[in-house]
Amino acid sequence: MSLAQRRILLGVSGGIAAYKSCELVRRLRDLGAEVRVVMTEGATHFVSATTFQALSGQPVRISLWDAEAEAAMGHIELARWAERILIAPASADLIAQLAHGFANDLLTTVCLASAAPLYVAPAMNQQMWAHAAVQANVDTLRQRGVHLLGPASGDQACGDIGSGRMLEPLELREAIVASFGNAVLRGRKVVVSAGPTYEDIDPVRFIGNRSSGRMGFAVAEAAVQAGAEVTLVAGPVSLATPPGVVRRIDVRSANQMRDAVVAATAHADIYIGAAAVGDYRPAEVADHKIKKRDGAALELSLAENPDILGTLAAQTVRPFLVGFAAETHDVERYARDKLARKGLDMIAANQVGGGLGFEAADNALTLYGPDGAIELPRASKSELARQLVAKIAERYVAVRG
Ligand code: PMT
C-alpha cells in the first residue's frame, strides 16, 4: 500500500471529530502522501492550525483573504495541486454549502475550483444526520459524483447513539488508497488524445464535430490514477486539465493533432485515441470570410486528413495502440473492421446517440481485442474510464510485460 507522491488536500470543517483528522494526516503521510490542510474558521475552534501544520509539514490555509499565503500558493493553484480532496470531518453546514455550490470561504472555493475527485466524511449528531435537509444535500452530492465515506454508527461525543460518527482515520486512508487503484501503469508513459478537431473553412467558419472531450479527459485521469505519466493531446474543448496530467498539448486541426501525437508518442508505451478526429478538411482555406452567394449553391472540396492511428501503426517501433470507434449502427462490425484495418491492439466501441457517447455524462463501451469482446455497461465516463484503463493495462502487461 503506497501513496508515494500523491497530493491530498485535507479539508477540516468544524466538528469535534476534527481531533481524529490529526491522526489522519499522520497516517496519510506514513504512506508517502503529500498533505496540505485547509481548515474552515469553525474547525479552528476544535483544533489549532499549528497542530496540522506540524503534522503535515506544510502551512495550513484558513482564509481566502490571506495575502501572504495567496502569494505563496494561490487558492486556484492549490485546487489544481490536489489529486484528491478529502473533507474530514464534513459538518452538516459544510455539506449544505457544497450541495448548493457556495464559495464563501477558502475550503468551499477550492472545492468548486478543483477537478480532483471529492471525498466527504460526514460527522454530526445522529438527529442532524437523519434530517431530511441533510439527506437531500447528501443525495445531491452523490448524484454529482462526490464520494461519501461513512458515516459510521455508534456512540457519539454528544452522548447519543446512532449514525453520524466520522469513519476512523485508517478507514478513510484505505478509501483514499483504493481511489488510486493499484498503480498498474506506474512507470509507463501514456498519451491520450481527446476532443474534436476543427478544420477551418475561412477565418470564421470550420468543420467540427460534437465531441466534448469528456471521455478522453476521463481516460487521461484514470491513467494518472493507475500510476502512468500522462500526456494529453486535446482538441478545442473547454475542460480543465485533470490533476496529475504531466503535459497537455492543445491543438485545433487533425494535422496539428497528428504532429503532436507523433511527437508525444516517440517514447510512449501506450497511445489511447479517444479524440474524434475529422476525416476530411477543406482542400483550401479561404483568406477572407466567404460571402453568401444569393441563390447559388456553395461547394466545398474536401481533402482527406491523415489517419493518426494508422500513422503510428505503420512505425516499426510503436506504442501499444488503443482506438475508439464511434458508430451510430452496426457497431461491432465497424469496430472489428477498424481494429484490423488500423492495426490496433484494442478498440473501444461506443454507440453514439440516445444520451450516450458525444457530449453526454454517461457512456457504454465494448472493448474488442484478440481475446474477444468485453462489455463495459453504461456508467459515468469517469467510472468507465477506470474500467477501460484497467483492461488496457491487463492486456498491455500480458503482451509487453
Ligand atoms: O468527447 P466526448 O463528448 O466525451 O465523446 C466521446 C467520443 C464519442 C468522442 C469517444 O468515446 C469516441 O468514440 N471517440 C472516437 C470517435 C471517432 O472519431 O471515432 P472514429 O470511428 O471516427 O475513429 C476511430 C479511431 O481512429 C479513433 O480512435 C480516432 O481517434 C482515430 N482516428 C480517426 C480519424 C483519423 N484521421 N485519425 C485517427 O487516429
Side-chain angles (χ1 to χ4, degrees):
M1 226 173 23
S2 166
L3 286 172
Q5 291 166 17
R6 295 299 190 186
R7 302 183 303 274
I8 317 288
L9 191 145
L10 176 65
V12 184
S13 66
I16 181 61
Y19 81 92
K20 290 191 191 175
S21 301
C22 303
E23 173 76 5
L24 176 59
V25 175
R26 292 193 56 188
R27 296 299 152 231
L28 290 169
R29 291 198 71 201
D30 284 349
L31 294 187
E34 285 178 52
V35 182
R36 286 177 181 264
V37 179
V38 173
M39 301 174 77
T40 63
E41 208 276 321
T44 62
H45 294 278
F46 293 90
V47 180
S48 89
T50 319
T51 307
F52 282 116
Q53 182 161 326
L55 292 170
S56 67
Q58 298 288 342
V60 171
R61 294 287 315 266
I62 300 166
S63 168
L64 198 49
W65 309 112
D66 181 338
E68 204 179 309
E70 276 291 303
M73 189 189 244
H75 61 281
I76 297 294
E77 222 180 312
L78 192 58
R80 288 192 186 132
W81 171 88
E83 285 180 279
R84 295 286 182 277
I85 298 181
L86 167 61
I87 303 186
S91 63
D93 180 62
L94 192 97
I95 288 171
Q97 291 188 53
L98 292 176
H100 292 90
F102 285 1
N104 53 2
D105 65 4
L106 179 65
L107 182 54
T108 49
T109 303
V110 167
C111 287
L112 282 188
S114 180
L118 179 56
Y119 291 78
V120 167
M124 65 196 76
N125 162 270
Q126 52 87 21
Q127 197 69 47
M128 288 171 81
W129 174 249
H131 198 284
V134 173
Q135 288 305 308
N137 289 334
V138 166
D139 280 348
T140 302
L141 293 182
R142 270 204 197 98
Q143 279 162 24
R144 248 181 239 152
V146 172
H147 306 270
L148 268 292
L149 303 177
S153 201
D155 293 340
Q156 299 203 297
C158 54
D160 279 8
I161 298 173
S163 196
R165 272 170 63 128
M166 188 171 92
L167 292 188
E168 295 304 318
L170 285 179
E171 292 174 299
L172 293 174
R173 181 178 80 171
E174 213 168 278
I176 295 299
V177 170
S179 77
F180 285 109
N182 57 358
V184 276
L185 292 179
R186 181 142 299 196
R188 303 290 174 202
K189 292 188 168 64
V190 174
V191 178
V192 180
S193 69
T197 58
Y198 285 178
E199 309 298 337
D200 289 337
I201 298 172
D202 68 14
V204 296
R205 304 181 181 94
F206 58 84
I207 300 172
N209 61 65
R210 293 176 183 277
S211 171
S212 62
R214 292 168 82 163
M215 189 71 236
F217 274 54
V219 169
E221 180 161 18
V224 169
Q225 288 168 6
E229 182 186 314
V230 177
T231 298
L232 176 59
V233 179
V237 296
S238 49
L239 294 176
T241 308
V245 164
V246 168
R247 199 154 59 108
R248 170 173 175 171
I249 306 166
D250 289 305
V251 298
R252 181 173 172 85
S253 66
N255 270 322
Q256 289 172 359
M257 187 172 275
R258 188 263 325 265
D259 292 348
V261 167
V262 168
T265 51
H267 302 288
D269 299 292
I270 300 174
Y271 170 66
I272 307 174
V277 186
D279 289 323
Y280 292 94
R281 65 182 183 282
E284 281 176 24
V285 182
D287 290 338
H288 301 289
K289 181 179 172 189
I290 298 172
K291 290 294 165 199
K292 188 174 169 191
R293 301 164 198 185
D294 285 332
L298 174 68
E299 286 188 7
L300 274 181
S301 170
L302 301 179
E304 198 175 350
N305 273 330
D307 191 298
I308 301 170
L309 277 167
T311 308
L312 299 181
Q315 295 172 342
T316 35
V317 180
R318 44 170 270 182
F320 186 86
L321 294 177
V322 184
F324 267 71
E327 308 293 348
T328 52
H329 59 286
D330 282 343
V331 180
E332 176 166 359
R333 181 158 65 90
Y334 287 124
R336 286 193 187 278
D337 172 62
K338 282 175 189 166
L339 178 71
R341 191 164 38 84
K342 293 187 186 235
L344 309 179
D345 295 288
M346 300 180 104
I347 193 159
N350 41 192
Q351 173 133 23
V352 292
L356 293 176
F358 287 107
E359 294 168 309
D362 288 358
N363 205 1
L365 295 169
T366 309
L367 191 56
Y368 297 99
D371 298 339
I374 303 167
E375 294 291 338
L376 304 179
R378 180 176 184 149
S380 69
K381 285 181 177 169
S382 310
E383 177 50 34
L384 267 186
R386 273 194 286 277
Q387 297 175 17
L388 176 65
V389 166
K391 294 292 173 201
I392 293 171
E394 235 171 66
R395 183 74 201 151
Y396 173 81
V397 171
V399 296
R400 302 251 179 139

